[in-house]
Amino acid sequence: MSDQPLPPGQHVPRDRPALHYGPVPRFRAHRWDLRVYGFTESLGEFRWSWPEFDALPRVDAVADFHCVTRFTLPGVHWSGVSTQTLVELAPPAPAATHVMVWAEYGYSANMRLDDFLARDVLLATHRDGERLTPEYGHPVRLVVPHLYGWKSVKWVRAVEYLTADRRGFWEERGYHNLADPWKEQRYSYQEAPGDGPPLA
């Protein structure tokens, strides 16, 4: 159990719901890969097969998980590949400022590169000592503990480096572009000038 205070408007639920948009994809290890592309330092693309990604060094992080629907799961133990390790292996161009994280079925979430590289952000393969289950993002999900949970993309397939911000799936549909739970940045109507690109 975490001793951290909860962000405003959050509560700890009795159960631990798994929320996601759309169906749970089927994992096919022989067809799965993770790509890093866009404004890389080399302008080339990086790719890992599932055995290659699963062999990368792992780190652990214990952090609270804050959902925009107002529940917080305290002290979740994640294990996986640090985003800092990924960026060392696939360096961004100096002009890169943001990332778009892509998942199965075209789902996406954007964030600042600094948020992506925060100390406890990782591409998780395990939760509470066990492999992720399909409904929680198996085989790989992004975990960004300091932002609302929709930024912690399940079923990750690619990371795109950007030189300008671009809204992801929920950010285009009325969620706040920055998603800081301590500032209750839940919805786009709360955005201040400079918080994100214009809504279409």
Side-chain angles (χ1 to χ4, degrees):
M1 185 78 172
S2 171
D3 58 2
Q4 291 284 340
L6 296 182
Q10 298 295 109
H11 72 279
V12 177
R14 291 185 179 180
D15 58 359
R16 298 165 70 91
L19 303 177
H20 50 265
Y21 176 83
V24 175
R26 181 180 175 186
F27 174 55
R28 297 175 174 87
H30 65 287
R31 294 175 57 182
W32 187 94
D33 62 6
L34 178 77
R35 295 186 302 131
V36 176
Y37 68 103
F39 287 90
T40 64
E41 189 175 61
S42 65
L43 297 181
E45 181 177 289
F46 297 81
R47 177 187 173 277
W48 290 267
S49 67
W50 172 243
E52 291 168 340
F53 183 85
D54 201 35
L56 292 176
R58 288 219 317 255
V59 298
D60 296 311
V62 177
D64 296 350
F65 182 88
H66 310 296
C67 183
V68 71
T69 61
R70 298 186 180 275
F71 71 81
T72 288
L73 301 179
V76 183
H77 183 182
W78 304 98
S79 179
V81 177
S82 168
T83 53
Q84 295 179 6
T85 297
L86 188 78
V87 166
E88 288 172 4
L89 296 171
T97 58
H98 292 77
V99 299
M100 187 72 77
V101 181
W102 293 95
E104 300 282 0
Y105 307 127
Y107 180 87
S108 61
N110 62 310
M111 67 196 70
R112 295 169 292 200
L113 186 58
D114 287 347
D115 284 319
F116 185 71
L117 291 176
R119 179 182 55 83
D120 54 358
V121 176
L122 70 164
L123 291 156
T125 55
H126 292 69
R127 172 180 164 166
D128 296 330
E130 302 289 338
R131 286 274 184 191
L132 293 174
T133 57
E135 65 269 22
Y136 282 102
H138 178 74
V140 176
R141 74 170 298 166
L142 183 66
V143 175
V144 189
H146 65 285
L147 301 181
Y148 279 124
W150 84 81
K151 299 284 191 180
S152 291
V153 178
K154 295 180 180 179
W155 311 301
V156 173
R157 294 300 304 273
V159 175
E160 179 186 4
Y161 296 145
L162 307 173
T163 57
D165 198 6
R166 192 169 81 231
R167 291 180 185 265
F169 181 88
W170 284 118
E171 295 80 12
E172 290 180 334
R173 290 162 172 81
Y175 278 19
H176 200 289
N177 194 55
L178 300 181
D180 184 339
W182 297 98
K183 297 178 180 178
E184 282 202 272
Q185 292 176 332
R186 300 178 191 273
Y187 306 113
S188 58
Y189 72 80
Q190 300 170 306
E191 291 178 8
D195 281 349
L199 282 163

